[in-house]
């Protein structure tokens, strides 16, 4: 299994003093707010909205492999979930990780949901985006926690775009 990106990369990027910032920039090289999956899906190098340089902190930008899913970070954002909890969770996870790369801080409950999501993604086989009934229930719960963070319900709040 190849690990294309995870929590440790986000921590390293922040420790190195990432200059990525978007709406809500604090002037210290990070922002203290979050943006939604809708924002992140449209602000990569593929547009259509202006590029947000937090994407540049992923090893290959929007083309970084999303774990072993067979998709890139950009592609997973644009894959219609059609009820598949893997894709519901992947979009929330990716948005939260980009928020963290952008300098936002996450509460402990969100960090735990992200760590659980990462473990789930890492456990999937190559190209496997199917989940068991138990994994689906867990993924749905974690996605809701992370969605609240991305939308500013929990954590530092939502950025004004």
């Amino acid at each position: 299994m190849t690990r294309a990106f995870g929590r440790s990369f986000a921590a390293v990027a922040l420790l190195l003093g990432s200059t990525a910032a978007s709406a809500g920039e604090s002037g210290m090289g990070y922002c203290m707010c979050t943006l939604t999956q809708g924002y992140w899906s449209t602000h990569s190098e593929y547009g259509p909205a202006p590029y947000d340089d937090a994407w540049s902190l992923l090893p290959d930008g929007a083309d970084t492999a999303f774990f072993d899913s067979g998709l890139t970070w950009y592609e997973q954002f644009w894959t219609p979930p059609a009820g598949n909890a893997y894709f519901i969770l992947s979009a929330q996870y990716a948005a939260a990780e980009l928020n963290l790369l952008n300098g936002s801080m996450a509460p402990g409950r969100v960090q735990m949901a992200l760590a659980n999501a990462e473990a789930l993604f890492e456990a999937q086989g190559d190209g496997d985006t199917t989940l068991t009934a138990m994994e689906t229930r867990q993924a749905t719960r974690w996605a809701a926690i992370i969605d609240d963070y991305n939308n500013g319900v929990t954590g530092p709040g939502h950025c004004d775009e």
Side-chain angles (χ1 to χ4, degrees), residues 46-155:
Y46 297 112
Y51 179 70
D52 188 308
D53 65 355
W55 279 98
S56 69
L57 297 173
L58 294 173
D60 293 316
D63 293 325
T64 299
F66 190 81
F67 297 91
D68 289 330
S69 68
L71 301 170
T72 65
W73 276 58
Y74 178 79
E75 291 168 336
Q76 70 74 35
F77 271 126
W78 290 99
T79 301
N84 183 332
Y86 180 97
F87 291 112
I88 295 167
L89 179 59
S90 71
Q92 293 302 334
Y93 173 88
E97 288 294 339
L98 286 162
N99 282 321
L100 292 170
L101 286 173
N102 208 31
S104 182
M105 302 299 175
R109 184 171 186 217
V110 174
Q111 291 176 26
M112 182 61 70
L114 290 168
N116 288 332
E118 184 174 320
L120 176 75
F121 296 138
E122 287 178 342
Q124 296 298 106
D126 288 346
D128 183 11
T129 60
T130 59
L131 302 176
T132 66
M134 182 189 309
E135 290 170 334
T136 296
R137 286 190 299 276
Q138 292 171 326
T140 301
R141 187 171 55 252
W142 299 329
I145 293 167
I146 301 168
D147 179 61
D148 281 349
Y149 167 72
N150 290 331
N151 280 286
V153 175
T154 60

Side-chain angles (χ1 to χ4, degrees), residues 7 30 61 67 132 161:
R7 314 267 319 134
Y30 59 90
F67 297 91
T132 66
E161 291 181 52

